[in-house]
Structure formats: C-alpha cells, structure tokens
Amino acid sequence: MKKTVIAGNWKMNMTRAETKAFFREITTQIRAKGGCGVVLCVPFTDLAAAARGARGTGIKIGAQNVHYEKKGAYTGEISAEMLREAGASYVIVGHSERRQYFGETDETVNLRARAALAAGLKVIICLGEMLDAREKGVTDEVVSMQTKLALRGVSEKELRSVIIAYEPVWAIGTGLTATPEQADETCGVIRATVASLYGKKAAKKLVIQYGGSMNEKNAADLLRMPNVNGGLIGGASLKPAAFSAIVAAANENEKR
Ligand code: PEP
C-alpha cells in the first residue's frame, strides 16, 4: 500500500459514456505511477469502462459496496468475485450513506470487509461520528468502537489491505469540513485503537484517510497533518480538474 492514497467516491453518478469521457480527461492529468495511490470507486455498471479507461495509468478502480456471501439468493447484490472480474481491486464498505439509508450496521460492515479481503480485494472501511456525538463530546468513543467492530476477525496480514476512511457524517456532502486539527486528532484516535489491536508498527503503516467535503482548496492543509494519509473524496472526484488538483496536493505533500 502507498503512503498516501487519494480515493474518489462517485456515489450514484456517471453513466458509462460519462465514465469514458472522464477517464479520457483525467488520464492526461494524472499519472499515479510513482506518486501517491489513486483509486476511483465507481458505480457497478461503470467498473468495466473505468478499468479500461485506467489501463496503464496506475489508477486503481474500486466499487462502493460488496455482499458478504459468495453467491446465492441475494437479489440485487454483488459478490467480491464479481467485482474483481469486472476490474475492481478496491471496495468501499460502511459508507455513512449506506449506514443511514440502507440499514448498514457495524456487524454487516465487518462481514463485508472480511468477505472482500478473503477474495483479495483492498478495502476502504468508512466510519465517523454523527453531529450529535461530536457535540456531546463522545467522538473518540464512537470511532474507537466502530474501528474495533469493523476489524473483528481481520488478521494482521489482512490489515495490510485495509484503509480506514475517517468521515465525520456532518461533513459529508455538506460543504462543512473538519478542521485539519480535528481530522488529525480523530485519525489519531483510530490509529491508537488499531495499535491496541495489532501493535504500534502495524498501526503506523495503516493508511487513514480523511473524508468530508475535501476539495482542491482545503486538501493541502488536511493532508499535511501527520495522522491523515489521504482522502476519500465525493463531490470533487466527479470533476477531473478538482480531483487531479487534490492528487497533486498529495504528491507535493509526500515530497515534504
Ligand atoms: C464521501 O462520499 O465519502 C464524501 C466524503 O463526500 P464529499 O466529499 O462530497 O463530502
């Protein structure tokens, strides 16, 4: 895993034709080889086109969810093997929109993460507190518990294929961003929790991203923080110029 990873989450945006056009543009601006890790997590129906568009660039392709069973009567679901076959090497699990709108729980986040890891995918586990928790001063307890529950049964070897995305729910898609200090502090809590489970060395190597209205203007300040090793980017990942500016900020930061 690279030291810094910038991942885009397109959510339910972009048709296949739009995906092809996006990759034609972005590949003139980003060469992921040699720089930070770059991942784009696209709708299932765009995976093949995105994988083709990213060929030879070093940009990795991911999905936004995965089912935990290998196959069977699970109408509407997609297995890890299907994702890999379609060109994904990453998958997001536990995004707050899935937790809020689709009944995702800490338990199903864990099941999905383990199934994806077992199938050889890299996993971006999303977690973060609601506004209410931040206001009540229990952010640390919430993210620490989410981290422990998400990683239950994940081996130390598998942890090397895990990224944790700290995404305060109040900052996602709202234009509100955690301050660099808030992001660093809470990513630090997650790292300390991982250290308590796997040891300090493994925790130091873990990529912890910040997500929540990261854009080309605030990326450099957030990425400069020691516990922030990248970003998970929603809205700004749909615009090639904004996304490549964030990747450029991460590459600059890696040189420091
Ligand atoms: C996200 O979807 O994970 C996200 C952080 O969205 P946005 O950047 O739009 O806040």
Side-chain angles (χ1 to χ4, degrees):
M1 195 82 78
K2 300 263 193 173
K3 220 165 64 185
T4 309
V5 180
I6 299 295
N9 172 19
W10 279 3
K11 312 192 186 197
M12 196 174 72
N13 293 293
M14 300 281 212
T15 61
R16 207 152 50 102
E18 288 165 342
T19 301
K20 287 183 192 167
F22 179 97
F23 275 90
R24 271 197 299 272
E25 193 173 340
I26 198 98
T27 47
T28 63
Q29 298 167 22
I30 294 181
R31 289 273 146 196
K33 284 178 185 161
C36 68
V38 181
V39 185
L40 277 158
C41 298
V42 305
F44 296 137
T45 48
D46 293 335
L47 283 170
R52 253 194 312 276
R55 211 173 277 158
T57 66
I59 299 173
K60 306 285 185 216
I61 301 304
Q64 301 167 17
N65 195 19
V66 60
H67 194 60
Y68 39 83
E69 295 294 346
K70 287 196 171 120
K71 57 160 77 177
Y74 302 100
T75 304
E77 294 295 326
I78 308 267
S79 74
E81 191 190 334
M82 290 169 185
L83 294 183
R84 282 186 54 141
E85 192 184 43
S89 51
Y90 278 78
V91 65
I92 295 173
V93 302
H95 191 279
S96 71
E97 285 151 16
R98 299 226 50 96
R99 294 182 193 247
Q100 260 180 302
Y101 309 139
F102 301 101
E104 192 77 74
T105 64
D106 287 321
E107 191 186 352
T108 54
V109 171
N110 173 252
L111 289 172
R112 291 181 207 281
R114 282 165 54 187
L117 289 165
L121 288 167
K122 293 192 165 59
V123 179
I124 302 176
I125 298 175
C126 299
L127 50 89
E129 81 286 3
M130 311 277 279
L131 183 59
D132 186 49
R134 180 148 293 262
E135 286 175 350
K136 291 195 169 113
V138 293
T139 297
D140 295 3
E141 289 82 349
V142 169
V143 299
S144 177
M145 188 182 74
Q146 288 175 329
T147 303
K148 285 181 185 164
L149 292 174
L151 294 176
R152 269 183 68 189
V154 171
S155 70
E156 198 175 330
K157 184 162 173 249
E158 287 173 326
L159 186 72
R160 288 185 223 140
S161 297
V162 171
I163 290 176
I164 293 186
Y166 165 56
E167 300 206 299
V169 179
W170 47 270
I172 298 177
T174 58
L176 295 174
T177 316
T179 64
E181 292 72 24
Q182 282 173 327
D184 189 57
E185 190 186 340
T186 310
C187 289
V189 170
I190 294 167
R191 203 177 299 285
T193 307
V194 172
S196 75
L197 300 171
Y198 298 92
K200 273 197 182 143
K201 207 168 143 202
K204 197 166 168 230
K205 280 196 198 141
L206 178 70
V207 172
I208 303 181
Q209 298 173 322
Y210 166 79
S213 302
M214 191 188 268
N215 57 40
E216 65 279 30
K217 294 195 185 86
N218 58 28
D221 287 340
L222 287 157
L223 294 168
R224 204 168 289 133
M225 304 311 283
N227 277 306
V228 177
N229 315 125
L232 181 56
I233 292 114
S237 72
L238 295 165
K239 301 174 229 156
F243 190 66
S244 42
I246 297 170
V247 171
N251 286 335
E252 265 316 298
N253 191 56
E254 283 210 339
K255 286 190 210 143
R256 285 168 69 231

